[in-house]
Amino acid sequence: MPTISTSGGSIAYDSRGSGDAIVLLPSGGHDQHDYDEVRELLPSGFRSISIDWPGHGRSPAGTAPATELRLAQVVEELLDSLTPGGAVLVGNSVGGNVAARLAIRRPGLVKGLVIIDGGGFEYSPDSGRLSRLAGRVFCALMSRPGFVRRIYPLFSLAYTRPRTAADQRARANAIATTRSTAGLTAVTEIWRSFRLPEHDLRAEAGRIAAPTVVIWGRHDPVLPLRVGETVRDLIPGSRLVLIDSGHLPQTTNPAAVAAELVRVANAAFGRDVQTSDAQGGRLAKEER
C-alpha cells in the first residue's frame, strides 16, 4: 500500500481507478475500509483515494499530535501532491470537519463536498448550557486513554448501530485501533482537539462555495439530527439527506451514500453518470 510523507507523519492510502478525484476521509478510530462498499459502486472515470489517519490502519504513529488542525494540514498536503487540480472531499465525523475546513481554507482544492455526520457544528444559539457542558465533559473523558480503552467496545456498539456486515467490520476495526498504542494515542488526541475553539466551524461555514451534500444518520447518538440541520442551514445551497443509520451511514447504506456522492461529483466535474446501483438514491430521504 502506498504512503505519502506529511508534516504529521507517513500516511497510508489506497488509490483505485483513474479520472476525476474523490478523496475519502474516515472517522476517528476508523480506517479507509469504512468506504470499501461505497467505492465499489462508483462508476468508471473516477479515481477514489481513501486514507488512514496517523496511528490508524496501515499508517504508523504520527509525528505530531493528531488534532483536527493537524489532520487538515495532512490532508491538504496529500491533496497538493496527489490531486493538485482539486477533488471531491468526502468526510465522516472528524473527516467531515477536516473536509469542510479545507473547503473554507483551500477552495481551489475542494471541487465538491460530502459531509457525513461531521463535527464542528454541534452548537447553535438555542443549545442549552447543560448540553454544551455534557459535550465538553464527554470529550474530556474521551481524551483519557484508560477511559477510551475500557468504554470503546460499548461506545462503538452505540454509535455504529450495526445492521450490516460492513457495520460490524467497521466496529471491530475501531476497537482494534483503540487497543494499539499508536491508535489509542491518536484517538484521544483527536477527541482532545474537539474541546479547542478552532473545532467550531459555524462562523466560517458560509464561505463554502463547493457543491455540498450533507448526509446524516437519523439515529446518530453522537451528533444528532439537529446538528445535520445546522450544517445544511449554514452552507449555502447544500442539501441534507437522511439515512436510517447510526454514525456511519456509509457502512449501513453504501448504495445511498454512493448515489449522493456521484451527484456531487457530477456537479463538481460537469459529468452525468450514475452509480453501478442506480436505485441507491431511492434509499435515502432528502430534507429540504
Side-chain angles (χ1 to χ4, degrees):
M1 181 171 293
T3 62
I4 184 170
S5 179
T6 75
S7 59
S10 181
I11 299 299
Y13 68 92
D14 177 63
S15 179
R16 302 180 190 175
S18 61
D20 297 319
I22 296 170
V23 177
L24 304 118
L25 311 176
S27 173
H30 289 255
D31 62 25
Q32 61 179 267
H33 294 295
D34 277 15
Y35 292 104
D36 282 355
E37 288 74 19
V38 171
R39 298 174 76 188
E40 289 174 1
L41 296 170
L42 297 179
S44 62
F46 289 114
R47 178 191 182 193
S48 68
I49 301 171
S50 192
I51 77 165
D52 287 332
W53 296 124
H56 293 61
R58 299 198 178 187
S59 292
T63 57
T67 65
E68 284 178 314
L69 292 180
R70 176 61 63 183
L71 297 183
Q73 181 64 35
V74 162
V75 174
E76 185 174 354
E77 292 169 20
L78 181 142
L79 295 177
D80 277 329
S81 178
L82 300 182
T83 64
V88 169
L89 276 192
V90 183
N92 176 219
S93 197
V94 68
N97 181 287
V98 168
R101 191 179 299 276
L102 289 177
I104 296 165
R105 188 163 82 190
R106 292 289 306 275
L109 284 178
V110 183
K111 300 299 186 183
L113 180 62
V114 180
I115 299 174
I116 305 174
D117 295 68
F121 307 90
E122 289 88 327
Y123 303 119
S124 59
D126 59 350
S127 296
R129 181 178 301 177
L130 184 60
S131 175
R132 293 194 297 271
L133 177 61
R136 291 186 63 82
V137 168
F138 189 68
C139 286
L141 290 171
M142 292 295 288
S143 302
R144 299 179 179 180
F147 179 82
V148 171
R149 190 183 294 274
R150 288 191 301 271
I151 197 177
Y152 220 87
L154 181 60
F155 178 54
S156 61
L157 180 65
Y159 74 73
T160 58
R161 302 281 176 107
R163 294 166 49 189
T164 67
D167 289 335
Q168 297 285 7
R169 180 196 65 222
R171 178 177 175 242
N173 288 347
I175 294 171
T177 296
T178 63
R179 288 177 174 166
S180 73
T181 299
L184 183 62
T185 298
V187 168
T188 54
E189 289 170 346
I190 289 170
W191 276 91
R192 188 174 297 116
S193 72
F194 294 164
R195 302 170 62 197
L196 301 176
E198 295 85 358
H199 171 70
D200 191 346
L201 296 176
R202 290 173 298 156
E204 298 181 283
R207 293 168 50 194
I208 295 175
T212 300
V213 65
V214 181
I215 298 175
W216 223 261
R218 191 186 298 275
H219 309 294
D220 186 344
V222 179
L223 294 171
L225 176 56
R226 62 173 174 77
V227 181
E229 294 169 342
T230 298
V231 182
R232 174 202 57 199
D233 293 343
L234 290 174
I235 299 178
S238 64
R239 299 182 296 111
L240 174 62
V241 175
L242 304 184
I243 292 180
D244 188 22
S245 74
H247 193 59
L248 305 177
Q250 71 272 23
T251 57
T252 302
N253 194 337
V257 172
E260 296 300 334
L261 166 54
V262 169
R263 288 189 181 102
V264 170
N266 282 340
F269 298 119
R271 303 183 60 172
D272 184 19
V273 296
Q274 291 183 314
T275 66
S276 58
D277 181 352
Q279 302 299 316
R282 299 180 183 176
L283 301 178
K285 177 182 178 183
E286 181 175 340
E287 294 287 318
R288 300 182 183 278

